[in-house]
Amino acid sequence: MKELQPINQNVLLELSEDKSEQTTAAGIIIPDSAKEKQEVAKVVAISNIENAEIAPGDEVLYKKYVGTEIDFDGKRYLLLPYSEILSKVVETESI
């Protein structure tokens, strides 16, 4: 079995597939190249980073248009520098 293991202060994120076809109100189909880039993804693995504030399984918000998209073993991933992670998405209870 093969797996991707990030190195050099990088983080591997799993991108979800948005298979739904997006259209405008007038019925024009929006191609994939014109869709907004995804900005939230699940952390799959991180390199050896001291005092990392994220862990595999966390959901994070990252900067638009960063990293390298990878197709590996039938899944889509994004490999990006740890410094490009903006925040961790956390569940909170409503008051």
Side-chain angles (χ1 to χ4, degrees):
M1 182 170 156
K2 294 181 182 180
E3 65 179 34
L4 295 172
Q5 180 64 49
I7 59 173
N8 297 327
Q9 303 276 313
N10 284 303
V11 178
L12 184 66
L13 305 177
E14 184 174 2
L15 299 175
S16 62
E17 294 283 333
D18 185 14
K19 300 276 187 191
S20 62
E21 199 172 73
Q22 292 183 347
T23 59
T24 64
I28 299 171
I29 297 173
I30 300 171
D32 288 340
S33 59
K35 290 180 184 176
E36 282 287 318
K37 285 268 190 194
Q38 178 178 335
E39 296 175 69
V40 175
K42 180 180 161 188
V43 176
V44 175
I46 61 173
S47 63
N48 190 11
I49 300 171
E50 222 174 281
N51 300 322
E53 298 179 58
I54 59 172
D58 288 343
E59 196 172 43
V60 294
L61 174 72
Y62 57 91
K63 293 180 182 178
K64 278 187 179 186
Y65 310 111
V66 297
T68 302
E69 286 193 26
I70 301 165
D71 288 319
F72 182 79
D73 221 14
K75 293 184 180 178
R76 284 183 51 236
Y77 297 98
L78 181 68
L79 187 64
L80 68 151
Y82 178 73
S83 61
E84 300 296 331
I85 303 288
L86 298 173
S87 70
K88 183 163 63 168
V89 179
V90 295
E91 285 283 328
T92 58
E93 294 184 29
S94 61
I95 298 175

